[in-house]
Amino acid sequence: MSFSSQGFAPEVVKALTECGYEKLTPIQQQAIPLARKGHDIFATAQTGTGKTAAFSLPVIQQLLDSGKQPSPRTARALILAPTRELAAQIADNIKEYAKFTNLNIAAVYGGNKMSTQERQLEKGVDVLVATPGRLAEHIEEENVSVRDLEFLVFDEADRMLDMGFINAIRNIMMEVESAPQIMMFSATTSSQLNQLSIDILRKPKRIMVERANSTANTVAHVVYPVDQERKTELLSELIGRKNWQQVLVFVNYKETANEIVKELKLDGIKAVLCHGDKAQSARRRALDEFKEGKARVMVATDVAARGLDIEDLPHVINYDMPFLAEDYVHRIGRTGRAGKRGHAVSFVSREEELTLVQVENLIKQRIRRVEQPGYEPKSRDAYVDKLNSKPAFKNRQGRRNNPTQPNTDQASAERRLAMINRLKARRK
Ligand code: AMP
């Protein structure tokens, strides 16, 4: 299915051709015709499926068709995204798609000056991309009104809820007096998300590109069992020996990220950081260097890297397994995009074997284990045997995150469990 057959204006089709888009991706095939007819949409789509174009192209076209101009300090279409990086990226994509039109597109998110953003909002904008917290501030200061909104999109709605934006979202919704067309996109589903969709969507069309919580089938998953304290060495060894270029490395803690970057530097591998302690401008710069190939590795935490679109990313490495199995899906969504081959590597210490089992259950796939000679974990076999022995297995089924651990791992298992429970509580 081609873009010109979807009734898009020639200037939009021209921009898409320049982006190298020829055919619609599956999510676009489903979402675009429904959105063009004005339906509300509730879509479960993985990252990397082309969902940004799926929601933004119908909005762009409908804004063009109406021929209206935005009033000063108002937005006609609002796209909410969980992180500043994702908001900036969506705005960049939309500017590309609309570059031959005279639509006015702006992005507002934390980390940049309110006053600069205020000036952008003064004349009114056709499309406003925003993080919920910063938008709420601009509404409060009357820099922009969403009263007459025509379109409202939630991108990565699941993550917005995880990040505790539910109140900001509900406050923004209270400001809307019109009945905008609403589209909600999410990589995973949850009861809280379903509730929000029931509250705000009108007879939504349900779209599922692949089963929820799945990863793209263009991704090859591999696990390297390794002791925690040898992970950095293994990372450096694999990158060097296998000559991997453009490697996105996920860690659970900022401190780990800082250490890895230092260690890789000692081995002559240029790496950049993307985590919450870095200023917005530094994160953008790091991402640009990584995208341009000036840095071979980017080490990131989950929140900072959420939704980043890095084209043709060949390797994603879980240096730490994520605390929640669902986050594996989000991390891996950075590779194997738009039909390209991707490589998802996970370093799994003995303490992380259980998370690996949960990930395998979630993605309904057993992941291949590869032992790197010289890095075999100490007494891992004994640990796994014990874990899979009958009593432990019984316990695991009954209490998903609370296995009977061998005594030596009790403390770390308990720390991990406490962390998982805290994260789960925040999700509720
Ligand atoms: P997204 O899921 O929106 O982050 O998009 C993932 C990647 O697919 C981005 O690099 C897009 O530029 C690209 N993309 C989106 N739609 C198409 C298309 N129809 N043809 C080729 N690439 C696309």
Side-chain angles (χ1 to χ4, degrees):
M1 209 189 275
S2 71
F3 285 98
S4 47
S5 68
Q6 296 303 304
F8 290 121
E11 56 266 43
V12 175
V13 176
K14 185 175 165 199
L16 295 175
T17 309
E18 284 194 7
C19 291
Y21 298 5
E22 286 165 12
K23 295 200 176 101
L24 280 76
T25 64
I27 182 86
Q28 292 162 1
Q29 281 177 29
Q30 291 192 50
I32 289 175
L34 291 170
R36 298 278 283 121
K37 285 188 192 139
H39 290 291
D40 278 7
I41 285 176
F42 185 25
T44 316
Q46 312 158 53
T47 31
T49 49
K51 62 193 168 68
T52 313
F55 60 71
S56 58
L57 293 175
V59 171
I60 291 172
Q61 189 56 49
Q62 271 135 266
L63 289 172
L64 290 173
D65 288 346
S66 80
K68 282 194 256 168
Q69 299 290 321
S71 312
R73 295 182 185 273
T74 67
R76 296 182 65 197
L78 170 64
I79 295 166
L80 288 173
T83 63
R84 37 182 98 163
E85 283 79 10
L86 182 58
Q89 185 179 291
I90 294 170
D92 287 348
N93 283 358
I94 296 180
K95 282 177 189 163
E96 276 299 307
Y97 304 150
K99 70 176 173 189
F100 299 118
T101 73
N102 47 21
L103 292 180
N104 187 6
I105 294 135
V108 297
Y109 40 80
N112 280 6
K113 276 193 182 161
M114 285 286 283
S115 54
T116 317
Q117 296 176 351
E118 186 194 342
R119 277 196 298 279
Q120 285 182 294
L121 299 169
E122 249 166 19
K123 282 195 202 136
V125 290
D126 291 293
V127 183
L128 178 61
V129 188
T131 50
R134 178 51 68 99
L135 176 64
E137 280 181 72
H138 279 293
I139 292 176
E140 179 79 32
E141 295 195 7
E142 299 188 350
N143 295 336
V144 70
S145 162
V146 291
R147 199 185 48 226
D148 299 324
L149 218 53
E150 295 164 50
F151 302 94
L152 175 56
V153 178
F154 294 85
D155 192 16
E156 307 214 347
D158 49 347
R159 183 53 56 139
M160 281 197 272
L161 297 184
D162 288 350
M163 290 171 71
F165 280 135
I166 185 70
N167 288 337
I169 289 173
R170 290 202 186 276
N171 288 344
I172 293 166
M173 292 303 298
M174 303 268 280
E175 296 290 320
V176 181
E177 290 176 13
S178 54
Q181 180 182 357
I182 307 182
M183 296 184 246
M184 199 177 268
F185 284 73
S186 175
T188 56
T189 49
S190 67
S191 51
Q192 194 189 18
L193 182 67
N194 286 337
Q195 190 54 53
L196 182 68
S197 74
I198 290 166
D199 290 350
I200 64 175
L201 298 175
R202 277 159 309 152
K203 295 191 188 155
K205 296 287 180 194
R206 192 81 176 80
I207 297 178
M208 270 192 188
V209 162
E210 278 203 75
R211 83 191 128 77
N213 298 333
S214 68
T215 55
N217 54 18
T218 48
V219 177
H221 305 255
V222 180
V223 158
Y224 284 88
V226 58
D227 286 330
Q228 189 65 32
E229 62 276 14
R230 303 217 47 211
K231 285 184 173 181
T232 311
E233 256 179 279
L234 176 62
L235 178 67
S236 183
E237 165 118 0
L238 288 176
I239 292 173
R241 270 190 189 230
K242 298 189 184 267
N243 196 21
W244 287 343
Q245 305 293 333
Q246 267 213 322
V247 187
L248 178 58
V249 177
F250 279 101
V251 293
N252 291 343
Y253 301 104
K254 297 168 206 168
E255 296 75 22
T256 320
N258 295 334
E259 278 164 28
I260 294 175
V261 168
K262 267 195 226 148
E263 291 290 329
L264 290 179
K265 206 171 173 185
L266 291 176
D267 289 337
I269 299 170
K270 175 143 194 224
V272 287
L273 281 167
C274 178
H275 64 53
D277 278 358
K278 292 270 147 197
Q280 167 67 3
S281 53
R283 279 149 79 172
R284 286 290 292 184
R285 216 167 34 245
L287 178 62
D288 288 344
E289 282 186 33
F290 182 57
K291 277 185 168 181
E292 289 161 16
K294 289 183 190 153
R296 196 161 159 194
V297 178
M298 182 157 86
V299 188
T301 53
D302 290 279
V303 168
R306 176 75 184 170
L308 292 183
D309 178 23
I310 303 145
E311 277 178 43
D312 306 337
L313 190 59
H315 310 280
V316 170
I317 300 189
N318 292 305
Y319 180 97
D320 295 316
M321 285 300 271
F323 292 117
L324 296 174
E326 289 87 341
D327 284 330
Y328 182 90
V329 178
H330 295 305
R331 290 178 174 189
I332 295 317
R334 311 277 138 3
T335 187
R337 287 187 164 203
K340 301 217 170 66
R341 294 295 304 162
H343 186 205
V345 176
S346 299
F347 291 173
V348 178
S349 68
R350 295 185 309 161
E351 294 78 3
E352 291 169 317
E353 289 282 347
L354 260 169
T355 316
L356 177 60
V357 173
Q358 291 171 357
V359 165
E360 290 179 326
N361 288 341
L362 186 73
I363 65 170
K364 300 191 171 57
Q365 191 181 327
R366 170 147 170 101
I367 304 179
R368 189 164 65 91
R369 272 73 167 163
V370 175
E371 284 209 341
Q372 181 71 8
Y375 289 89
E376 299 85 354
K378 293 179 221 131
S379 67
R380 173 174 169 271
D381 291 346
Y383 180 83
V384 174
D385 282 352
K386 192 150 191 175
L387 212 57
N388 287 331
S389 71
K390 269 200 165 158
F393 188 70
K394 256 192 202 158
N395 275 335
R396 215 165 65 212
Q397 293 226 314
R399 295 150 55 190
R400 223 172 138 233
N401 284 316
N402 192 9
T404 304
Q405 299 269 354
N407 283 341
T408 47
D409 293 302
Q410 192 68 38
S412 99
E414 277 169 10
R415 271 201 310 278
R416 214 171 156 70
L417 179 62
M419 172 69 77
I420 289 168
N421 285 339
R422 272 204 305 281
L423 286 167
K424 291 221 152 152
R426 258 200 305 176
R427 282 204 161 176
K428 282 190 186 123

